[in-house]
Amino acid sequence: MNICDVLQFRGTWRTYQARVLERAERYLDDGCIHIVAAPGSGKTTLGIELVRKLSEPALILAPTVTIREQWKTRIEEGFLKEGIDVNAIVSQDLKSPSLITIATYQALHSAMTKYAGILEEETDEGTEDSNAVKVDVDFSEFDLVSVYKEAGIKVLCLDECHHLRSEWWKALEQFKQEMGQVTVVALTATPPYDSTPSMWNRYINMCGEIDEEITIPELVKDGSLCPHQDFVYFNYPTREEEKSVKEHMDKAKAMLEELLQDDQLLSGVRGHAFFSGLVSTDEILDDPAYLSSLLIYLQARGVDFPQQYKRMLGANRLPDINSKWMETLLQQLLFEHTEHFSVDAVFVEQLTDKLKLEGLIEKRKVILQKSGAVEKMLTTSKGKVNSILDIATHEYRNLGTDLRMLILTDYIRKEVEKALGKDEVSIDTLGVLPFFEQLRRHFAKDMKQPQPKLGVLCGSVVIIPASAKDALLQAVGGDKISFVSAGQLSQEEYVKATAVGDAHFLTGAVTDIFAAGYIHILVGTKSLLGEGWDSPCINSLILASFVGSYMLSNQMRGRAIRAMKDNPDKTSNIWHLVCLYPEKTSTTQGEEISEDFMLLKRRMKHFLGLHYEMDYIESGIERLSYIKPPFNRHHVEHINKQMLALSDQRQSLKEGWEKALEIHDQMEVVRETEVETSLLDSVVIYDAIRDVIFSTILMVLSNVGLRVSDQYEGTFLGTCCFVMIGFALVELFMRIPKLFMLRSPYKRLQYIGEGIRKALVSQGMLEDPRCRVKVESNAVNHCVYLTGGTGRDKTLFAECVMDFYSPVENQRYLLVQKKHHKCKNGYYCVPNVFAGKKELATAFLNSIRPYLGNYELVYTRNEEGRKILLTARVKALANKQKRCLSKEKVKSALE
């Protein structure tokens, strides 16, 4: 049986999908086709069609069970010809391959390692808390490669294959190698552009070079996605949660005081191998915080040590010991470098057990400052319930009965069902039923105002308004469904719908009545994503899922931004909930305020969207420009009000997208790096100025000498004067153009960027050496980026620019100006990608020297280099100025 005989796409291809399919044959010349496609682009559909066009038996690998199920559902709903049983051509059992076999990477790893036992396959990629599907497997006698060769598997389709554990990678690489000639179809929404060079090469060796990238702005312009915006709503922990945070801090403080009295620990630190010369200065200065923790501890215990150790750190005085420094010391003692300390195994074991007992060790990591358990508690803070109530209230007041809000969360919490309708029962958990009941109670308080109709849609629980019963019955048929009470709620208000027999049809029916307006706010679990579920009517999404990965949040976000044929003016709001660390809300550094906020920042790095105040499209949390320090309670309340007010301006949002996209006939996503003007000082321009002045003086003096020596025409003195004039003219001829060339910071950044590009090209690090450097300017900063290269090229170039202008901290190599120069900035950092070997660092210097000036390479892992490093920390402009900023931005061919 041929795949083309049983599968045929039943829809209409979108413009960009048709473009990829048209070019597919050319892309497959190297045996691989590698597509990057944003959520909402129909990536799975595109993958199925590519597999179909190859007309060979295929193995499709997905990162989770949820994604695996999506593939099968999409095949059945979008491709299966009439009269064909999906189970006859699709297998989800690795041991029984079919025309199309779909499995997880984890299952492949188990088969390659011949595992026998209970296989716990993750439902949500990358999360420890995800519900695992447990399957009893026995691959001990199963030869996967032989069976699949015999089955004629010729196509390997990889979905998000970089989201893998190390051992799964190895199994995949081994399988591909042993299978021999297979065609690879690789699909991802999030290529690992920011991974290490070795990981990137590993990824490209598996998937092939990226052939096509479909971005969110392109999808909005095409009409596949609607204009949308991300909003952030902050909350604080409840009193009980704040109490838990304080308890952890108190435990850490008590442990610190106890350890400062521990003589065995003191003996172990005093006998450290560094103090006896068994650990080199070079080695310990790779991590200065390690040496600092040793000295700070000894100082706290009143133990003298040679002052040269402080000088090595560039410190005149050391700070007092606190949880941070004790955490660093204990991490080194217990897990990183136990052999450096003069302690026995019994002491290490006892101290480890003591810390574990107090909850101060998690997964081989000492946590005196931030506990993973505390961070998890804040991420799932019950204070987020109030955020949901505020957002839902505001959105309903703004949109009224046009609101189609989806709240996605992690768990159903069936135990709460008996409390539905019993207002006197306190509900203090997070989940579908708790959110439903809290919303119902909240809106019921003000009976004078119109109330939104609520609903619940999960695999095992469906609750709808009583007023929607007839619509649901009409959608599914009266004999397929029955209604019972939902907890203690009156059946005149809400009812629980139960399917008679197979409940698969119920999800689609509830989705239909949601779209028709019988439900305004629908609460469900993220498991909906695994059921091929889609509802283009959604115009407001609250991401109340707290244990999902970036990939999953990307999928959830994609559900809200799909365009709707019946509503061409649709816009969508996506709400992110962030809990702030109660002890740190006054800080000016956002990344310190909570792990929740850091997670948001990491996710925003990959979401291209419209800037709050400018008509351009870029990534990064900076585009959410209302989020500014200080993060104290008063200012955060102001930010929340701004978010609510901005979320009302849906027409402005639509117009903003239209303005940002109107000239983008040919879009390109670049990785911009902003650099402050003050950081763009350069030795080259000072060289040019000095040489021009010197040459001018030389020419004037030579002319004076020539006039005085007219009477000695033809003599040695006259000849010397003529030679000096000629030399001065040549110097002026050479230097004046360079002076004009580097007259502005804009030009200097252009040439520094060119030097970095040439360094990357010289070492074969760019996949497309024909790419070009471009610079743009605004009032304060200048932006440099690479255009025309691959996504990896652009990211690598941006990383190098960021590294080059980064603050001097503990870099392995520095570029230091020669002493006779008077440039304001005498120090730059060698980018990390060139810092691994001296040969690479030297190659970088040679490439950038013509654009930078007379700098020399300094290795900082010896005593002399360490002194220069410490001086650079004080004097380098980058250590005094605002940091560079890197972000993705959409450019048109006209820019």
Side-chain angles (χ1 to χ4, degrees):
M1 186 185 297
N2 188 288
I3 289 183
C4 293
D5 296 333
V6 293
L7 298 183
Q8 180 66 48
F9 182 54
R10 297 201 292 265
T12 302
W13 294 113
R14 302 169 189 171
T15 305
Y16 53 87
Q17 290 174 325
R19 182 184 74 230
V20 172
L21 294 172
E22 184 181 330
R23 299 174 181 175
E25 191 172 338
R26 171 156 50 95
Y27 291 153
L28 284 164
D29 284 347
D30 60 353
C32 303
I33 183 167
H34 188 176
I35 306 298
V36 176
S41 61
K43 173 167 65 78
T44 304
T45 300
L46 196 57
I48 296 168
E49 177 63 13
L50 289 169
V51 168
R52 191 191 75 85
K53 285 172 72 74
L54 289 166
S55 300
E56 298 281 2
L59 170 62
I60 299 173
L61 293 172
T64 68
V65 171
T66 300
I67 307 298
R68 184 192 71 188
E69 294 297 325
Q70 285 180 5
W71 278 90
K72 183 177 179 181
T73 301
R74 192 70 193 112
I75 289 171
E76 185 173 12
E77 294 179 352
F79 286 84
L80 201 64
K81 289 185 176 181
E82 193 172 340
I84 304 295
D85 180 7
V86 68
N87 294 315
I89 64 161
V90 176
S91 169
Q92 292 182 315
D93 180 3
L94 271 179
K95 295 178 78 172
S96 302
S98 187
L99 201 58
I100 297 177
T101 307
I102 312 172
T104 64
Y105 293 104
Q106 187 177 2
L108 180 82
H109 169 258
S110 298
M112 291 298 291
T113 55
K114 299 188 180 298
Y115 173 77
I118 301 297
L119 176 62
E120 297 188 10
E121 292 187 282
E122 295 174 350
T123 55
D124 296 323
E125 177 271 328
T127 65
E128 295 170 11
D129 302 296
S130 56
N131 297 323
V133 174
K134 298 181 180 181
V135 184
D136 191 1
V137 299
D138 184 359
F139 292 112
S140 58
E141 302 296 328
F142 181 64
D143 188 338
L144 179 70
V145 174
S146 296
V147 170
Y148 276 57
K149 282 184 176 180
E150 188 176 337
I153 301 293
K154 298 290 185 182
V155 177
L156 181 61
C157 182
L158 307 175
D159 191 2
E160 302 287 358
C161 81
H162 59 283
H163 291 270
L164 303 183
R165 298 175 182 175
S166 178
E167 61 269 25
W168 298 0
W169 253 116
K170 292 175 184 175
L172 178 59
E173 288 170 329
Q174 181 186 350
F175 175 76
K176 182 188 174 189
Q177 182 180 1
E178 293 183 12
M179 283 295 293
Q181 292 296 320
V182 291
T183 301
V184 174
V185 176
L187 305 164
T188 181
T190 55
Y193 288 142
D194 52 359
S195 63
T196 62
S198 60
M199 279 303 300
W200 175 258
N201 290 334
R202 191 179 193 183
Y203 174 70
I204 292 300
N205 288 338
M206 175 61 67
C207 302
E209 298 291 346
I210 293 174
D211 294 299
E212 191 92 31
E213 188 160 2
I214 303 166
T215 64
I216 281 180
E218 181 181 0
L219 297 174
V220 174
K221 188 174 179 67
D222 182 72
S224 298
L225 299 182
C226 71
H228 55 276
Q229 187 58 279
D230 293 279
F231 298 97
V232 181
Y233 205 84
F234 294 99
N235 75 281
Y236 300 95
T238 62
R239 289 184 179 179
E240 292 77 13
E241 290 164 346
E242 287 194 23
K243 184 179 177 182
S244 297
V245 174
K246 188 176 184 303
E247 285 176 359
H248 175 78
M249 297 302 179
D250 290 343
K251 286 180 181 179
K253 183 178 179 181
M255 182 60 67
L256 173 63
E257 292 173 355
E258 181 181 338
L259 292 174
L260 285 174
Q261 306 300 319
D262 192 317
D263 291 336
Q264 201 168 352
L265 177 59
L266 174 61
S267 175
V269 174
R270 294 183 71 170
H272 191 278
F274 172 68
F275 301 131
S276 58
L278 296 176
V279 172
S280 68
T281 302
D282 189 12
E283 181 180 351
I284 202 159
L285 287 179
D286 266 338
D287 184 4
Y290 180 12
L291 176 57
S292 298
S293 69
L294 296 172
L295 301 184
I296 291 169
Y297 174 77
L298 292 176
Q299 174 183 268
R301 296 300 303 269
V303 177
D304 292 330
F305 50 81
Q307 292 302 296
Q308 72 183 70
Y309 297 147
K310 285 204 295 187
R311 290 195 295 272
M312 288 169 57
L313 292 167
N316 294 322
R317 58 183 297 274
L318 297 172
D320 294 333
I321 196 164
N322 56 24
S323 295
K324 170 188 173 181
W325 294 114
M326 182 59 80
E327 180 181 281
T328 302
L329 178 65
L330 294 177
Q331 184 67 29
Q332 298 292 335
L333 168 64
L334 301 180
F335 300 113
E336 306 295 338
H337 293 108
T338 307
E339 72 280 4
H340 290 175
F341 294 82
S342 180
V343 292
D344 57 35
V346 174
F347 172 74
V348 171
E349 185 178 348
Q350 290 175 344
L351 180 56
T352 301
D353 290 343
K354 183 188 297 184
L355 290 168
K356 283 183 177 179
L357 188 63
E358 295 295 329
L360 299 176
I361 287 181
E362 293 176 358
K363 299 178 185 175
R364 292 179 57 81
K365 187 168 179 59
V366 180
I367 46 163
L368 300 186
Q369 295 183 91
K370 288 198 301 184
S371 160
V374 169
E375 290 292 354
K376 179 182 173 184
M377 177 196 68
L378 295 179
T379 301
T380 59
S381 168
K382 298 177 181 66
K384 291 187 177 181
V385 172
N386 291 329
S387 297
I388 292 172
L389 298 180
D390 288 347
I391 295 165
T393 301
H394 187 84
E395 290 276 47
Y396 185 67
R397 283 177 182 169
N398 182 38
L399 293 180
T401 55
D402 289 333
L403 176 64
R404 299 293 182 272
M405 173 178 280
L406 174 66
I407 303 173
L408 279 178
T409 190
D410 300 301
Y411 307 110
I412 299 173
R413 305 294 186 197
K414 288 184 179 179
E415 67 275 12
V416 175
E417 185 175 353
K418 59 187 176 185
L420 300 182
K422 298 178 70 174
D423 293 3
E424 69 278 7
V425 177
S426 175
I427 297 176
D428 60 357
T429 58
L430 303 181
V432 172
L433 293 180
F435 288 161
F436 169 81
E437 180 63 5
Q438 294 276 26
L439 285 164
R440 187 197 65 79
R441 294 179 186 182
H442 172 73
F443 285 110
K445 289 177 183 177
D446 191 354
M447 298 301 293
K448 295 180 182 179
Q449 294 291 331
Q451 296 185 35
K453 298 171 184 176
L454 311 177
V456 168
L457 180 58
C458 305
S460 56
V461 179
V462 174
I463 298 174
I464 62 170
S467 57
K469 284 171 60 176
D470 291 342
L472 188 63
L473 286 169
Q474 187 175 353
V476 301
D479 58 339
K480 294 184 178 180
I481 196 168
S482 63
F483 297 104
V484 296
S485 297
Q488 304 302 311
L489 288 170
S490 165
Q491 287 202 32
E492 294 182 358
E493 188 178 3
Y494 287 96
V495 293
K496 181 179 178 181
T498 305
V500 177
D502 182 14
H504 182 72
F505 64 89
L506 199 52
T507 298
V510 174
T511 303
D512 289 342
I513 66 170
F514 175 46
Y518 291 95
I519 298 171
H520 304 130
I521 301 176
L522 187 64
V523 190
T525 60
K526 59 195 177 187
S527 63
L528 283 172
L529 303 178
E531 298 168 9
W533 184 77
D534 195 10
S535 185
C537 69
I538 298 166
N539 54 25
S540 185
L541 170 69
I542 299 180
L543 293 172
S545 174
F546 312 118
V547 300
S549 65
Y550 162 70
M551 190 176 72
L552 191 67
S553 68
N554 215 2
Q555 280 197 306
M556 289 190 288
R557 190 172 178 272
R559 289 299 185 269
I561 63 180
R562 299 184 193 278
M564 189 176 181
K565 291 180 181 178
D566 298 335
N567 183 11
D569 293 325
K570 175 194 168 181
T571 61
S572 197
N573 294 340
I574 301 105
W575 292 92
H576 305 263
L577 309 179
V578 174
C579 183
L580 304 179
Y581 214 108
E583 295 295 321
K584 298 184 178 180
T585 51
S586 61
T587 180
T588 59
Q589 297 299 317
E591 59 268 21
E592 295 178 5
I593 64 177
S594 72
E595 180 63 29
D596 218 7
F597 188 80
M598 289 185 68
L599 177 62
L600 175 72
K601 287 185 72 173
R602 289 194 295 271
R603 287 179 175 176
M604 285 297 143
K605 280 177 64 178
H606 302 283
F607 289 156
L608 275 166
L610 189 68
H611 193 281
Y612 277 179
E613 298 170 280
M614 307 289 183
D615 293 328
Y616 51 69
I617 299 162
E618 64 181 22
S619 66
I621 201 167
E622 291 77 19
R623 73 178 176 86
L624 313 184
S625 55
Y626 290 173
I627 302 177
K628 298 175 182 176
F631 292 96
N632 53 48
R633 287 180 181 263
H634 174 74
H635 191 244
V636 165
E637 186 176 333
H638 174 66
I639 293 173
N640 284 345
K641 288 180 180 178
Q642 283 184 301
M643 293 288 175
L644 292 173
L646 186 61
S647 71
D648 289 347
Q649 300 172 24
R650 289 178 177 258
Q651 183 59 34
S652 297
L653 173 64
K654 187 173 186 296
E655 291 170 358
W657 273 94
E658 289 172 352
K659 288 178 183 177
L661 293 172
E662 61 186 4
I663 63 168
H664 290 54
D665 293 324
Q666 294 179 343
M667 285 182 282
E668 179 183 13
V669 178
V670 300
R671 172 67 68 174
E672 268 190 357
T673 304
E674 285 187 7
V675 183
E676 274 202 352
T677 301
S678 57
L679 294 179
L680 296 175
D681 198 18
S682 171
V683 165
V684 170
I685 194 166
Y686 287 93
D687 284 345
I689 292 171
R690 183 200 64 207
D691 290 342
V692 166
I693 293 171
F694 173 76
S695 300
T696 303
I697 293 171
L698 181 63
M699 191 165 63
V700 170
L701 291 176
S702 300
N703 267 299
V704 172
L706 194 59
R707 289 178 184 277
V708 171
S709 62
D710 275 347
Q711 54 185 310
Y712 303 110
E713 189 173 349
T715 64
F716 175 74
L717 179 59
T719 302
C720 287
C721 288
F722 273 115
V723 170
M724 284 191 291
I725 290 173
F727 175 78
L729 286 171
V730 170
E731 282 291 308
L732 285 172
F733 181 77
M734 292 175 61
R735 300 299 178 184
I736 287 177
K738 181 171 259 187
L739 188 60
F740 278 96
M741 184 175 70
L742 300 171
R743 65 190 180 276
S744 69
Y746 176 96
K747 287 291 186 182
R748 294 198 283 277
L749 182 57
Q750 174 82 40
Y751 282 94
I752 290 296
E754 185 59 29
I756 291 173
R757 187 194 73 83
K758 284 189 174 180
L760 291 167
V761 170
S762 72
Q763 300 304 307
M765 295 180 182
L766 293 185
E767 296 169 0
D768 183 358
R770 298 169 298 175
C771 52
R772 294 174 292 120
V773 175
K774 282 196 174 183
V775 176
E776 296 178 354
S777 298
N778 56 40
V780 179
N781 297 333
H782 301 276
C783 302
V784 60
Y785 58 91
L786 210 58
T787 180
T790 65
R792 171 63 176 173
D793 290 344
K794 294 167 188 172
T795 301
L796 184 58
F797 176 80
E799 287 173 354
C800 285
V801 175
M802 288 284 288
D803 289 344
F804 183 75
Y805 287 111
S806 65
V808 177
E809 294 172 341
N810 195 41
Q811 284 86 352
R812 194 175 185 85
Y813 287 99
L814 296 179
L815 300 182
V816 180
Q817 72 179 83
K818 296 291 182 67
K819 291 183 179 178
H820 65 274
H821 291 289
K822 301 298 182 185
C823 178
K824 291 179 184 177
N825 195 8
Y827 307 92
Y828 292 100
C829 305
V830 174
N832 290 331
V833 72
F834 293 99
K837 296 179 181 179
K838 185 176 181 180
E839 293 79 9
L840 287 174
T842 303
F844 177 78
L845 174 61
N846 291 337
S847 294
I848 205 164
R849 181 180 277 146
Y851 306 97
L852 184 65
N854 201 6
Y855 279 66
E856 60 186 352
L857 189 67
V858 172
Y859 177 64
T860 66
R861 295 301 189 266
N862 54 40
E863 189 171 349
E864 182 182 351
R866 184 69 185 174
K867 290 178 183 176
I868 294 173
L869 179 74
L870 298 176
T871 303
R873 284 183 181 176
V874 176
K875 294 186 176 181
L877 270 178
N879 290 57
K880 303 174 184 178
Q881 303 293 341
K882 182 182 176 182
R883 293 285 36 80
C884 299
L885 172 67
S886 181
K887 59 191 175 186
E888 285 185 320
K889 195 168 183 177
V890 175
K891 301 285 183 183
S892 82
L894 302 180
E895 293 182 278

